[in-house]
Amino acid sequence: MNSKFSIYFCVIFFFLGVNNTIFSQKEKPNIVIIYVDDLGFGDIGVNGAIGVKTPNIDKLAKNGLNFTDAHCSAATCTPSRYSLLTGSYAFRNNAAILEGDAPLIIDVKKETLPKMLQKAGYKTGVVGKWHLGLGKGKIDWNKRIPLGPKEVGFDYSFLIPATGDRVPTVFLENQEVVNLDPNDPISVSYGTRIEGYPWGFKHPELLKQHTDPYHQGAVINGISRIGYMKGGKDALWVDEKIPFVLSETANNFIEDNKENPFFLYFSLHDIHQPRIANIKFVESSTMGPRGDVIAQMDWCVGQITESLKKQNLLENTLIIFTSDNGPILDDGYLDYARELVGNHKPGGIYRGSKYSVYEAGTRMPTIVHWPKEVKPGKSSALLSQVDLYKSLACLVKQDIAKGAAPDSQDFLKSWLGKSNKGREFLLEEAYTYGLRMGNWKYIQPKNKPVPNWIVQKFVDPGFNKKVQLYNLDKDPSESKNVYKDYPKIVKKMEKKLNEIFNQ
Ligand code: NG6
Ligand code: CA
């Protein structure tokens, strides 16, 4: 649909569907995306969690809409975040998990979700995990980093640059390292080992949690990370305090912007590894560190909703609570996630996990909460986060710039529970591709090499070598490959997938 038409439909929809057709600047809803890391469909109380309680999230679900078939665009972090912010499938830009010193992968000449919201008069902020790269080439961590959230459309940023398990383990505020002592400059390497913080493989006695061979670089705060680092001692974060720092920063952003509409992308470190819960949450679950950081993350969610309530903003704030990829038990650190999981099912009834093309890889816990407009309930609409860009553009009545958000479609009505219509086709990216068509799920074989550690630990052997078709109506856990029985469906879905690739 061309952009003239899409605006036309937005307008029609507004007259038919949403009451407040013309928002004044003051009436515009605030938008908060709470983006959890590695949280599985079954990890929240309302979706059947057994080993941990999530009262704050459950309350959001009770007063909002709980989605049962909403997806992130990919089964890993960087690709999903790329799609969320650009409205474009990750494969179009080869977006894959990035090292901690990788260049920015978003084209700053193009419009993004936050830039579109800026045009609509929103103040935009990102607090938390970034993992979309920074700068253009080699990063000088001792100066303002020239390319980052600002150039992507965020007025304010407070970041974990990549992941908790990658160096540098420092926060960046508006693209400068927080608390950096110029006499103790930072250097980072993902290649040659640099002297500085001791290396994990040489100093296991320093470790709070032992790790696999891939997390054996700089030991900082008793945790050995991917990559090597020197300097920046005063700037190092304390893992146990991250949830407090991020929640407080997010709340300050809310308070500073209470007089104007704002967009907050609150991107939590939890429940990614290293899972080092604050003492306040240790043993708050029956699942060890992985459960404890779920409880910790739930607390952060409560902090945000409390703060919105205190500012009298909760009623007219659209909160979208979701995750960037499916759950993972052991992902490098020996934190007993596998041993202690008990009967708790991180991915719910769905097959797979983070990294996997099966449903649990991308089917995310997803809650939309907006008391003013959204009636509490459940929705089974088949939705993708790649569509939030266009759907939110429709909400704030913004046209989308030419060339931006090529894969994003308007499903505002469905996100707000005014319709149950979902995508006709939905792409799932992992080490191979999956496609949904209603309740059919097709998996395409692919020859691309899969890293050894993925094959060894996380995926069923041969998962990317065979054609697969599942009927999720009858078989939601993808246990019976029925591709031989439905050659026409396979053909149709294969054709559609090729069309998506060639668009
Ligand atoms: C992988 C790391 C994993 C995790 C992941 C990123 C190895 C063997 N594993 O490369 O530990 O950091 O990257 O997770 O290096 S994500 O949620 O940001 O995609
Ligand atoms: Ca993730």
Side-chain angles (χ1 to χ4, degrees), residues 36-38 76-77 81 129 272 324-326 354:
V36 187
D37 202 347
D38 295 3
T76 49
C77 160
R81 285 158 203 259
K129 177 177 176 176
H272 198 275
D324 69 338
N325 54 249
K354 176 175 179 174

Side-chain angles (χ1 to χ4, degrees), residues 3-53:
S3 57
K4 255 199 193 139
F5 269 111
S6 67
I7 279 295
Y8 173 77
F9 280 113
C10 286
V11 170
I12 298 257
F13 158 60
F14 261 83
F15 279 103
L16 293 176
V18 180
N19 303 328
N20 46 342
T21 46
I22 297 164
F23 297 123
S24 70
Q25 185 72 355
K26 251 209 134 118
E27 285 169 334
K28 278 182 183 159
N30 306 302
I31 301 169
V32 177
I33 298 182
I34 304 180
Y35 216 48
V36 187
D37 202 347
D38 295 3
L39 187 73
F41 185 87
D43 280 328
I44 58 176
V46 279
N47 289 356
I50 292 175
V52 60
K53 292 201 165 45

Side-chain angles (χ1 to χ4, degrees), residues 213-239:
Y214 303 95
H215 296 77
Q216 297 282 359
V219 179
I220 297 165
N221 188 26
I223 299 157
S224 90
R225 324 267 169 168
I226 306 177
Y228 304 94
M229 176 173 171
K230 186 177 174 185
K233 196 158 173 287
D234 292 350
L236 298 177
W237 70 50
V238 177
D239 301 77

Side-chain angles (χ1 to χ4, degrees), residues 131-173:
H131 211 191
L132 289 161
L134 291 159
K136 278 190 209 161
K138 192 162 168 42
I139 301 173
D140 183 348
W141 297 96
N142 306 295
K143 295 191 178 137
R144 181 187 178 276
I145 297 169
L147 283 181
K150 182 99 198 162
E151 293 68 27
V152 168
F154 289 103
D155 299 305
Y156 174 75
S157 65
F158 187 94
L159 305 183
I160 288 177
T163 58
D165 58 353
R166 284 172 172 76
V167 295
T169 59
V170 295
F171 295 119
L172 297 176
E173 187 170 35

Side-chain angles (χ1 to χ4, degrees), residues 393-409:
C394 205
L395 174 71
V396 300
K397 296 187 229 53
Q398 275 300 314
D399 209 346
I400 287 185
K402 204 166 163 255
D407 301 307
S408 193
Q409 298 178 5

Side-chain angles (χ1 to χ4, degrees), residues 230 286 288 323 347-348 357 382 432 436:
K230 186 177 174 185
T286 58
S323 172
V357 73
L382 176 64
T432 183
R436 286 279 306 276

